[in-house]
């Protein structure tokens, strides 16, 4: 399928490499120019660029006027790079005005900088609606059926909804996932995250504390650990190895993914899940919360998940944020979660004790990211179709 126009991919310091990996899958068919700092070359290696990005996003969340001003400023700064023959692929929270473009969003929440207050602002939503209704906007790519639902809830104009296209994300298949795995031994559970409370770190460690009396296992906990929770190091000594989240992805693959038997992700604000695709590539069953977001959509497609009903989450039934992260963290820290912890421990215990089920679930997920709905080949075909339709 031939696409004659040059595609400009705009990356505004994304906080994961998904965009760059998605466009790299099309490098043989599309000529790309990536504008803005690249994920793999970001900053000075100590996270300063990410901290700057988060600081700017925090300021934008305070006012719809600020959010719109930021979008317009980004549009103006990138204007000089535009080629009249090009199609702009606008990632993250960016929208454009008079140049042919397609939008690319995890869900509608990113457009309001993940702020429920901004998403309820008619001033911002009308600004976004005008951009999406413009003939310059050729299509809106979203990452899941839940993401489409969030757009339909926020923008009920039929002309906006007609532009929505669900194209599930995929990643480069890690070469380490093709290496032979060691068989046997004590089952090993892997938890990878950044943001102890909102990623469910306290629930996970509490569940392991219950489980250790019933069954033998080991765990790797790769996440920040607040000082007030340092007691877990002693309570789970000999069972859990604690690490700060400072590893590169290849290091995670070599040291942890290829040696794990179960992957756990208990975030209550996850709209996507790069780690889900990575764990699936390594043939791992996944324990996760059932969320009103793309995370649960992807787990349904991968077929390797065991989902637990959460007591709270950041999404309402339409997939739109209904709670500020600070309120979610407060509830996680202060509420009693004994029943939820017992449920998580029961699910983990079932997987630890059943190697056949672990293998069956793992193979389903591996096939989904190699050959199925979450494979790079499926995403590549869908994106090429989208670009072709947008440039006709």
């Amino acid at each position: 399928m031939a696409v004659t126009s040059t595609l400009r991919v705009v990356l505004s310091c994304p906080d994961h490499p998904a965009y760059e990996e998605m466009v790299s899958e099309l490098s043989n068919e599309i000529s790309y120019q990536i504008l803005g700092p690249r994920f793999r070359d970001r900053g000075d290696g100590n996270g300063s660029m990410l901290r700057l990005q988060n600081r700017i996003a925090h300021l934008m969340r305070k006012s719809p006027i600020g959010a719109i001003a930021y979008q317009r400023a980004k549009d103006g700064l990138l204007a000089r790079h535009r080629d009249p023959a090009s199609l702009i692929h606008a990632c993250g929270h960016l929208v454009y005005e008079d140049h042919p473009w397609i939008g690319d969003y995890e869900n509608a929440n990113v457009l309001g900088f993940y702020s429920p207050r901004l998403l309820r602002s008619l001033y911002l939503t009308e600004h976004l609606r005008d951009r999406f209704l413009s003939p310059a906007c050729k299509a809106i790519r979203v990452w899941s059926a839940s993401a489409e639902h969030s757009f339909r809830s926020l923008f009920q104009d039929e002309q906006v909804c007609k532009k929505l296209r669900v194209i599930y994300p995929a990643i480069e298949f890690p070469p380490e996932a093709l290496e032979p795995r060691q068989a046997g031994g004590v089952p090993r559970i892997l938890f990878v995250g950044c943001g102890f409370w909102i990623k469910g770190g306290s629930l996970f460690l509490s569940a392991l504390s219950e489980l250790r009396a019933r069954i033998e296992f080991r765990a790797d906990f790769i996440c920040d650990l607040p000082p007030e929770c340092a007691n877990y190091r002693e309570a789970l000594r000999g069972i859990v190895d604690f690490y700060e989240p400072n590893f590169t992805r290849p290091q995670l693959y070599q040291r942890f993914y290829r040696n794990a038997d179960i992957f756990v992700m208990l975030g209550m604000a996850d709209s996507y899940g790069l780690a889900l695709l990575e764990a699936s590539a390594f043939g791992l069953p996944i324990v996760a919360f059932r969320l009103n977001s793309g995370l649960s959509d992807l787990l349904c497609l991968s077929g390797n998940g065991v989902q637990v009903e959460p007591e709270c989450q950041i999404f309402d039934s339409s997939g739109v944020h209904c709670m500020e992260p600070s309120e979610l963290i407060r509830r996680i820290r202060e509420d009693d979660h004994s029943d939820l912890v017992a449920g998580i421990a029961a699910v983990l215990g079932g997987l630890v004790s059943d190697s056949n089920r672990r293998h069956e679930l793992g193979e389903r997920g591996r096939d989904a990211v190699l050959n199925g709905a979450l494979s790079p080949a499926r995403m590549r075909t869908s994106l090429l179709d989208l670009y072709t339709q947008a440039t006709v």
Side-chain angles (χ1 to χ4, degrees), residues 102-155:
I102 59 171
D104 193 331
Y105 311 106
E106 291 183 44
N107 54 31
N109 299 295
V110 67
L111 295 165
F113 294 85
Y114 303 101
S115 166
R117 186 170 62 86
L118 278 188
L119 290 168
R120 291 193 295 267
S121 164
L122 288 177
Y123 185 74
L124 177 62
T125 53
E126 287 300 319
H127 163 75
L128 295 170
R129 182 178 287 108
D130 288 344
R131 294 295 181 266
F132 292 137
L133 288 173
S134 167
C137 177
K138 303 300 182 181
I140 305 168
R141 180 268 178 109
V142 292
W143 291 19
S144 65
S146 290
E148 181 182 26
H149 190 41
S150 71
F151 263 83
R152 290 183 177 276
S153 175
L154 206 60
F155 305 102

Side-chain angles (χ1 to χ4, degrees), residues 167-184:
I167 301 178
Y168 290 98
I171 61 169
E172 299 171 356
F173 198 82
E176 294 86 353
L178 299 175
E179 299 174 3
R181 293 173 55 84
Q182 294 182 348

Side-chain angles (χ1 to χ4, degrees), residues 197-200 266-270 291 310-315 322-335 337:
W197 296 106
I198 207 162
K199 289 294 185 180
L266 297 176
M268 286 150 276
D270 293 338
L291 303 178
E311 293 175 344
C312 57
Q313 60 175 291
I314 209 165
F315 307 96
C322 60
M323 187 186 305
E324 291 286 351
S326 58
E327 172 61 16
L328 179 62
I329 292 173
R330 186 198 65 77
R331 293 180 61 177
I332 296 167
R333 296 186 66 164
E334 297 179 3
D335 292 355
H337 303 291

